[in-house]
Amino acid sequence: MNKLKQIHAHALRNGIDHNGALIIEVLQVPNISYAHKLFNFISKPTTFLFNKLIQAYATQKQLHMCFSLYSQMCFGNCPPNQHSFTFLFGACVSLFSPSQGQMLHTHLVKSGFDSDVFPLTALIDMYGKLSMVQLARKVFDEIPDRDVPIWNSMIAGYARRGDMEEALKLFKSMPKRNVISWTAIISGYSQNAQYAKALDMFLRMEENGVRPNEVTICSALPACANLGALEIGERIEVYARENGLLRNLYVCNALLEMYTRCGKIDVARRVFDEIGKRRNLCTWNSMIMGLAVHGRSHQALQLYDQMTREGSAPDDVTFVGLFLACTHGGMVAKGRQLFETMERKYNIKPKLEHYGCMVDLLGRAGELEEAYRLIQSMPMKPDSVIWGALLGACSFHKNVKFGEIAAEYLFKLEPWNPGNYVILSNIYASAGIWDGVAKLWKLMKGGQITKAAGYSFIEGKGGELHKFIVEDSSHPRSDEIYVTLNEITTKMKPQRNVDDCESERTNFCMMDEI
């Protein structure tokens, strides 16, 4: 920067106008304020310089300056070009300003750039991100010659809204696709919690010979994590390593999260250590949460101490992991201390999830009175998770008093959930209150409240995922599967014959439907 100032001084002394070139160099530093001062000395700035400054301000999220410069262009006889609109549509997204976006759309048409693919792609992207998908589709339908980025922007807009049916329809009708097209649809399914479909599309992409990029991998790994598809996740890691994608921190964090969610905590720790000094808060939180969930409470708390020593401040997600560590480790005093620390030391106000963790921690330890007082002191209305944590604790400790209170709230919050009736019924049964048991089962029957059939996923050899429920016969090889299951059961319990195993399987099915 000092060298650039010297060049500027030399130019001024010698009457040389190098301001335009200097602005470009200064923006590379970047020093936007100095560049803007140089810009103000130019009597007739070009559209190119305006665009450079608008782009710099947009990058720094100083969005009001973008529109101030745009106004200068409009009133200073320096008309914007297609690149000006492209940068400004992005600024509208950051400002979340639909009105300014529509105004710019009008200016785009009046300026004659409504057939240029660059601003049109940015326009569709803007409307999609501002939840104005219908307007995005109107623009899309009016474009006669659509290139791949325009299709991708429209697909991403539908995916962002959660309309994966329309996104897939567009994807299938594309004349040509690239890796971004596949990533848009995979990411859409993953972000909308349709994890099996996300992985199915990922596998199809591989079959079509399209090589995933960093964003594709960051979309596929969460699907692996949520489905427990470890084999596919491991294959993705091999690919990422071979192609140098682990240089990307987002890929590393997604891989770390996948291993913690799949129970490979030691492998996750290897990835965590490999990230080293590149770690961000997401990295620390994933590892702390992973250790906590897998019962390594002391390691989770030690990692938290290391994190603060290294200068990283925790956030609300960090404390959820810490409370889980305390819960799984039975560390009530430590949990109380952390709950007090989060607001006093870090100015983080407890949210519903923090109260839920504390109620669970106190409840499991048998401190039901304190857990109930904490619920009463909450500044927000307790939800079903809070009361569910208390009810679960009451079930464990066979406490009728607080169990009835928790269940009463849950019956109002979740009248459709049979689990709450069953848990309170079990509490009554353990206390010998049989009329209470009968009353609850009568209520369930009268309200036609039935337990939904649970289902599971299993990963095959090729990474293919299969969904099944109790006594499922939809799989094409179900007969072979049941024969094998019966053989395994027979070997486990040799004193029983195959007919008994079949009978037990039927009984379990009946229990699941109650």
Side-chain angles (χ1 to χ4, degrees), residues 16 178 225:
I16 305 168
N178 62 12

Side-chain angles (χ1 to χ4, degrees), residues 280-506:
N280 62 7
L281 188 54
C282 178
T283 317
W284 289 102
N285 286 346
S286 293
M287 197 67 242
I288 289 170
M289 188 76 75
L291 290 167
V293 168
H294 289 88
R296 303 192 184 187
S297 304
H298 291 288
Q299 290 180 39
L301 293 172
Q302 286 167 4
L303 201 62
Y304 167 67
D305 290 337
Q306 181 187 339
M307 169 186 164
T308 52
R309 281 197 311 271
E310 292 185 13
S312 291
D315 66 355
D316 55 328
V317 178
T318 316
F319 280 98
V320 171
L322 295 173
F323 293 140
L324 285 173
C326 292
T327 300
H328 290 182
M331 295 178 276
V332 178
K334 183 65 177 177
R336 290 193 190 105
Q337 178 204 331
L338 287 166
F339 191 75
E340 186 266 333
T341 298
M342 67 183 289
E343 188 163 13
R344 178 181 55 80
K345 187 174 180 181
Y346 295 106
N347 199 30
I348 300 170
K349 290 190 178 296
K351 297 180 180 178
L352 265 172
E353 51 263 40
H354 301 112
Y355 282 104
C357 289
M358 282 303 295
V359 169
D360 191 31
L361 170 62
L362 294 167
R364 289 190 191 210
E367 304 287 348
L368 298 171
E369 185 82 45
E370 185 181 349
Y372 182 59
R373 284 201 308 271
L374 181 64
I375 294 173
Q376 290 181 307
S377 72
M378 286 171 56
M380 70 284 289
K381 192 175 180 181
D383 66 355
S384 58
V385 175
I386 301 285
W387 291 115
L390 183 62
L391 182 63
C394 291
S395 174
F396 184 78
H397 293 286
K398 301 177 174 58
N399 187 295
V400 175
K401 176 185 172 184
F402 292 115
E404 287 180 329
I405 294 171
E408 195 63 36
Y409 281 101
L410 285 166
F411 293 160
K412 292 174 185 173
L413 290 166
E414 300 177 334
W416 43 264
N417 188 349
N420 301 320
Y421 292 87
V422 173
I423 292 172
L424 183 59
S425 171
N426 291 341
I427 293 171
Y428 280 148
S430 65
I433 308 174
W434 300 109
D435 57 336
V437 174
K439 180 185 173 183
L440 283 171
W441 284 101
K442 189 176 179 181
L443 277 172
M444 284 182 70
K445 192 173 180 181
Q448 294 185 327
I449 301 167
T450 57
K451 184 178 180 296
Y455 62 85
S456 298
F457 283 101
I458 189 167
E459 185 179 8
K461 283 183 179 179
E464 188 180 356
L465 292 168
H466 303 275
K467 177 181 173 181
F468 63 94
I469 61 173
V470 174
E471 210 176 33
D472 196 345
S473 59
S474 60
H475 194 278
R477 299 180 65 186
S478 59
D479 290 340
E480 296 173 62
I481 291 168
Y482 282 123
V483 168
T484 304
L485 279 173
N486 286 333
E487 287 175 359
I488 292 169
T489 309
T490 304
K491 288 176 182 177
M492 288 171 65
K493 297 180 180 180
Q495 72 277 15
R496 303 174 62 195
N497 58 36
V498 176
D499 291 332
D500 290 334
C501 294
E502 178 63 31
S503 174
E504 183 177 290
R505 180 164 64 85
T506 304

